[in-house]
Amino acid sequence: MKTIYAAVLAGSISACALSTAIAQTAPPENPALKIYRETPPKINDLIHTKLDVRFDYKKRYMYGKEWVTLKPHFYPTDTLRLDAKGMDLKTIAIVKNGKNTPLKFTYDSLTVAIKLDKVYKNTENYTIYIDYTSKPNELKVKGSAAINDAKGLYFVNPDGTEKDKPTQIWTQGETEGSSAWFPTIDKPNQKTTDEISMTVPAKYVTLSNGRLASKKVNADGTRTDTWKMELPHSPYLFMMAVGDFKIYKDTWRGKEVSYYLEPKYAPYAKDIFGFTPEVMEFYSKTLGVDYPWNKYSQIVVRDYVSGAMENTTATLHGDYVQGTKRELADRYYDAGRSTIVHELFHQWFGDYVTAESWSNLTVNESFADFSESIWAEYKYGKDMGDMHSYEAMQSYLSQPSAKTKDLVRFHYNDKEDVFDVVTYQKGGRILYMLRNFLGKDAFYKGLNIYLKANALKNGEAQQLRLAMEEASGKDLNWFFNQWYYGAGHPVLNISYNYDAVNKTQTVYLQQSQDGNAFTLPMAIDIYSGGKKVRHNVWMRNKADTLSFPAATKPDLVNVDGDKILLTKKTDTKSLDEYVFQYFNAPLFLDRNEAIDAAKAKQTEKGAQKILLAAMKDKFYPLRVKAINAANLTNDDVRNAAQPILVNLAQTDDNNLVRAAAITALGKLKASGNMNLFKEALASQSYAIQGAALNAIGLLNPADAIPLAKTYEKDSEGALKQAILGVYATGGTDEQWTYVYNAFISGAPQTQFGLLRKFADFTGRVKNPEYAQQGIKAMADLGIKYKQFGIAPQVIQILNGVKTARATDAAAVAAIDKAITQLN
């Protein structure tokens, strides 16, 4: 599972990084947190699941027939309990000799208890037939931050009444949503083969797990497609999708790789997903276990309730992954591409070997998060891998409540709560750290052992530990006890002293977090006399003093030389030391830390030296960071930076760097740059065009609105945001409809990015009906994302609109009503 969420940062509303799970804060007094969440007991084992389903688009029902084959796990039993949420169960029977004999059952709307016809032993299989109706839209169940709805089966625009939206059906099984569309033992420690026959309108395409075994055209204008999954997998990984999709066929080592897209995006299938076979090859070679399934499909659907889902052989993506060539040219390693590799890694970690309980979700999701970093490292270089891992750690550190939660979590309020920044981002960083500690060869050998030992079965963190110990020969109890079965992280304070008399460099390390000390193996690199000497040390106590011989005062003492520790760090280096670090230490984070240090001290020459050099850094995100960090109101910085910015704006090979340089130049409002901005409008990059339009708007607002209008028909991404910003800032009622429609139909990042300007526009439009539209749109947004804590900020923004429209009684009343709903 890959997640999307929106959050409030630094007192303002913005779109958070897509690819993050939000941490849920459970009340500490909640008695549910004292309940030990055991692995679900296995009384009966699923063996095979056969489904025959058809859909009622008008009622939003699915009519199903199921034949489920099981056997007792160990002890003899004459009962069976299946999860079956919100269904009409018409017939439940035992199948023997081709005959169905009805069985007695009791049903509480969530599970069904079935009395079998006899006592079965674990050497005996039995098959149950169930005739049922699934009613997902009538089901009231709770989702999570990762999965914001849990009704299992979704009808998108089934009546065809929503303009420009296709009619689709798709499923979402994690965590226990599959039992909303077929009765099963909906637990991750169950595995079953399956066969699913879908009868659908003949004009539509279907997708499910495994292979398409047959297609039968029916006389009533429908077609029945039968999909067979011949290797066992967990029920939450079952999937179906139905709709008007175009299929692009690719291959990997002779296996089918296919991409299902809406017709609009079909021409860009290769641009969106075309690197998938390369990722399959990389993961297969890295893990020493070839991609284990018969095919791999990816499908993009509308209105998806999460980011993406790793259904076995058939990943389902939200529509944010797709784009045209022009859109994708600005994205680089974005949320969409990282999601594609994340879900693919799950085909090994999550599908081939599945977490035996939600308490051990780390062996699914931490690995998928980790995979994003190792693919980035392989494809784009070590700087990109390190940055991705570092940003994951920062995402975890930014949520204070996360430090109270273990990675392996046997106590939780609800299973959905485990899908958070601890399981994803912290867990991914821990694996990145473990790889560094063991070395890549030993680490990947450990993963190979884990996968082969538990293939097509279930795994947990202890099995991972044993595999890593077998591979490396090292005892890792300390590591797993600390990072997997404990909570929190070290808060590390670092200070230094050089004793010129005794020729000694001292490093003082102090952990200031509550609780016990973390054991931290680390490298300390000492740069002196043009050489670097590495010291490998272990910090085992809350405070350590380390001394090293040094004939002269070192140019730099670089603690955690590999920049790999999961820690919140305060380092007391001087600016001169950070200058040296930027130009001499090799890693992304070395340079990133130096830029951060320089940003706060831009009146000093050393800081200016770092920022100006970083504008030409080999790694484009650091070029962007330096451009954004530069204080161009400082004469020295501006005079030195401006020619660099002009050059970057015109010649850099990265669209985002060019856009950042244009944005920075635009803020100077220098008329001499107007030709540069107008030339940039001819770019094929939406990011560059958007930056140029914004810059023109700052320099000459009167020109911006008619200019923006000429780009309306072909505008996506940053260009569309720029048009909306120009209109919302300086537009009149004439531009309202365009801005309003874009706002209500936009993705979360569009809505949050535009919200304040949209509110200003709502406050000044003359047509009172437009004001009502704007107020309702903002209120709806606040209500939709209320669970993420944005309501106070939306209320504040609405109060600003209320002040602006103080004489509009209807608007004031609408705002008061909205605020009541948001409180």
Side-chain angles (χ1 to χ4, degrees), residues 318-363:
D319 59 9
Y320 72 98
V321 303
Q322 61 194 5
T324 64
K325 280 182 181 290
R326 289 187 65 191
E327 290 174 276
L328 294 168
D330 291 336
R331 291 184 186 174
Y332 300 96
Y333 192 50
D334 68 332
R337 288 187 172 100
S338 65
T339 296
I340 290 167
V341 302
H342 175 114
E343 303 306 335
L344 181 48
F345 206 69
H346 270 312
Q347 299 297 317
W348 287 266
F349 289 88
D351 297 7
Y352 192 53
V353 182
T354 306
E356 49 83 41
S357 71
W358 301 120
S359 292
N360 269 280
L361 182 63
T362 176
V363 297

Side-chain angles (χ1 to χ4, degrees), residues 544-555:
D544 271 349
T545 300
L546 305 173
S547 296
F548 306 97
T552 58
K553 186 178 188 305
D555 298 301

